[in-house]
Amino acid sequence: MIRVLKAGFYTSIQDRGRVGFASKGVPVSGVMDSYSADLANRILDNSLANALLEITFGGCKLEFLVETTICISGGDFSAMINNKPIVLNSRIKINKNDVLSFGNINFGARCYLAVKGGFLTETILGSRSFYQNITKQMILKKGDVLPILSFNNNLEASNSVIKVSCSYFKSIEINCYKGPEFELLNNHQKEQLLNTIFTISNDNNRMGCRLNEVIDNNLPSILTSAVLVGTVQLTPSGKLIVLMRDCQVTGGYPRILQLTTAAINRLAQKTTHQNLKFILKSI
Amino acid sequence: MHKPPTYKPFGNTAILIEWQAIISEEILNDIILFRDKIQKEKSTLIADFIIGYNSLTLKYTNEISNYSDETQQLQSIYQQDLKRQQTEKFLWEIPVCYDLEFGIDLRELSEKSNINIEKIIKIHSKKIYTVFFIGFLPGFLYLGGLDSRLYFDRKPNPRLKVPKGAVAIGGKQTGVYPQESAGGWNIIGRTPIHFFNIKNENPCFAKAGDQVKFKAISLDEFYQTEKEITENKYLISKKLLND
C-alpha cells in the first residue's frame, strides 16, 4: 500500500487505456507519455500493461506502507526519498515508511512512478486509467491509500542508469502526418501551419492542448466523425487544438494533422508557453 | 444508390473510410454492414471501430505496414457479398418527463416557434429516431430523425452544467446527456434511464443502427421509474426490429 500525504497538482493512475470501447463513446485515456511510462516499467521488469502513477509537475508526497522497488521516469521534478535526491530511470529500493517527495521542476511536465508489480486499483472496462464518470475518482486526493504488492526480493544491481536524451524534452519539433482534411487547406494556409512556431496556451490538459497562434480558416465544419489521440483540429476561430489521451472519440472540426505516436509522447512533456513546430512526414 | 466509399490514412495506425457527406440511413446501413464484414475478416487486427455520420474509422492494433495493400484488401472485403449478419437491432422506448421542472427551455422554444408546449412534446415523442453512432461522451447517442419543426439553434452561451439524463435539442439533432456535463443544447425534459452504466457488462445498451422512441411520462412516473432503476427492478422496454 501507498498512502497519499499530499496529492499534488494533478496525479492520477494510468495504464495503456481503454481499447475496444470507442463505439460506446469511451475515450482511450492512458499514460500521456507512453515512452517514459514504458521505460519505467521496463526498468523494473514489469509488464508494460502495469498501471503507474502519472505525476504532473511533482508536488505530491507519498508514504510507502510496504517494501518495494520503484522507478521514476519522464520529467525531472527533483524526486527525493526521505528528502535525499534519487536518480531518474533507475531501480530504487524502498523500505516501509519511506516517503517520496518532489522539489524543483527541472524539465518535462509529467513523471511516472512505477512500482514492482504495478498499482492494483480497480480495473474498469479493461483499464485502471482514471477518467471522469468511469472510475470513481479522476485525481488522487490526500489520504488515499493505493494498493500495491509488497516486494522484498532484490532486483539486480540498481546502479545502472538509462540516459534519456535531453532533446526528448527540449526539441520543439513535433512530427506529424497529413490529417484527413489537410488537403482542403490552400497553399497559404499550409505554409502558415508548417512555418509558424506555435506556443501552448494555458488551456492544456489530458484532453487536449490549445495553441495560441491563429491560422486563416475558411473551412466548414465536417459531419461528425472519428478523432484520435494526436489529431490536430482547426477550430472556427483559426486556433488549433491538439487532442490528447482523454479526448472524446468523435468531433466536427476539420482534422488537419495527425501526430506520430512519438510526437504525442513528446508533446505530453510540454506545457504552457512552450513552443512547437509541426514537421510534416509522409506515410 | 450511393457511391462506394473512399479510403484515407489517418495517422500510421488508422484508416478512415468515407462515404458521401450526407446524413442518410442508407449510408448508415452500408457502414454497419461493412463494419460487420471487416470484423469477420480482420477482427484480431483491429482494436476499435468508430462510426461517424458518413465514416468508419478502423484503429489497428499495430502500425499499418503497407497502406495501399491494406486499402486494397478492404476494398475487396467491401465487394464481398456477405448476407447481412443478423445483428439484432432494437427499438428502445425511453421514458421522458417533459415537465417544466426538467424541460427548462420548453417555454422559450415555444415562444420562438409559436408552437405550444404540449405540441412540442407531442412532436418530439411521436417520432422514431435512429442511432447513428455514439460519441462526444460515453453513451451519448447521435440521433437522427428530428421533426424539422423542432430544429432550434444551440444556445449562444453553453450551460456549464447540464444534468445527467437531460433530453435536449441542438440544431437538427436531439439526444440525451448521459452524464452531467457542459452543453449548449436546449433542454426539453429528463429521463431517469442511465445511458452509460459501468456496472453493466455492456455499459451502453444502444448501438449504431438501433432506434429510439421517447415516451412522455409524468413527474410521479419519473420518480417511480428512478426508484425502480436504483433498486434494479426496471427493464428498458425494447422491441426487436426485423429489417
Side-chain angles (χ1 to χ4, degrees), chain B residues 104-162:
Chain B
I104 49 181
D105 291 324
L106 273 173
R107 214 168 251 145
E108 193 187 314
L109 298 187
S110 169
E111 281 163 20
K112 269 191 201 161
S113 61
N114 256 325
I115 305 173
N116 69 42
I117 290 175
E118 287 70 38
K119 186 90 187 275
I120 292 179
I121 295 168
K122 211 169 183 178
I123 299 172
H124 189 259
S125 57
K126 208 180 136 197
K127 273 279 195 153
I128 289 177
Y129 302 98
T130 299
V131 180
F132 276 80
F133 58 95
I134 303 172
F136 173 49
L137 292 168
F140 187 93
L141 277 42
Y142 280 78
L143 297 175
L146 185 67
D147 188 294
S148 59
R149 284 170 289 176
L150 300 189
Y151 291 175
F152 293 110
D153 287 343
R154 290 166 180 78
K155 300 190 87 64
N157 293 308
R159 288 187 171 91
L160 291 176
K161 272 187 183 176
V162 173

Side-chain angles (χ1 to χ4, degrees), chain A residues 20 22 24 133-134 180 225-226, chain B residues 8 10 48 55 57 139 179 198 202:
Chain A
K24 309 282 177 196
N133 291 307
I134 290 198
S225 180
Chain B
K8 274 183 195 167
F10 195 170
D48 257 312
S55 66
T57 298
Q179 66 189 48
I198 46 161
N202 177 6

Side-chain angles (χ1 to χ4, degrees), chain A residues 129-248:
Chain A
S129 288
F130 281 10
Y131 183 80
Q132 196 174 15
N133 291 307
I134 290 198
T135 52
K136 283 190 198 84
Q137 57 189 128
M138 242 182 117
I139 52 170
L140 290 192
K141 53 182 198 313
K142 187 178 168 179
D144 283 345
V145 175
L146 307 172
I148 64 165
L149 295 174
S150 164
F151 178 79
N152 49 23
N153 298 338
N154 269 324
L155 287 172
E156 278 164 49
S158 61
N159 41 3
S160 66
V161 175
I162 291 166
K163 265 270 185 230
V164 176
S165 153
C166 232
S167 74
Y168 180 78
F169 296 94
K170 306 239 160 103
S171 163
I172 66 164
E173 297 193 349
I174 293 292
N175 290 338
C176 46
Y177 305 111
K178 291 174 182 175
E181 279 75 52
F182 179 85
E183 295 298 354
L184 299 182
L185 299 170
N186 62 33
N187 287 340
H188 171 64
Q189 289 169 313
K190 285 178 187 170
E191 236 164 70
Q192 278 186 313
L193 179 66
L194 299 172
N195 291 334
T196 303
I197 293 180
F198 291 95
T199 45
I200 296 173
S201 79
N202 54 17
D203 192 359
N204 70 89
N205 54 34
R206 288 190 42 90
M207 282 177 77
C209 180
R210 278 175 199 266
L211 307 179
N212 286 322
E213 292 70 16
V214 176
I215 68 167
D216 295 340
N217 183 16
N218 51 1
L219 300 190
S221 293
I222 59 168
L223 284 179
T224 304
S225 180
V227 291
L228 306 176
V229 177
T231 299
V232 181
Q233 292 182 308
L234 177 59
T235 66
S237 67
K239 287 194 178 181
L240 305 176
I241 305 177
V242 189
L243 297 178
M244 294 301 276
R245 306 280 179 187
D246 277 350
C247 72
Q248 55 195 65

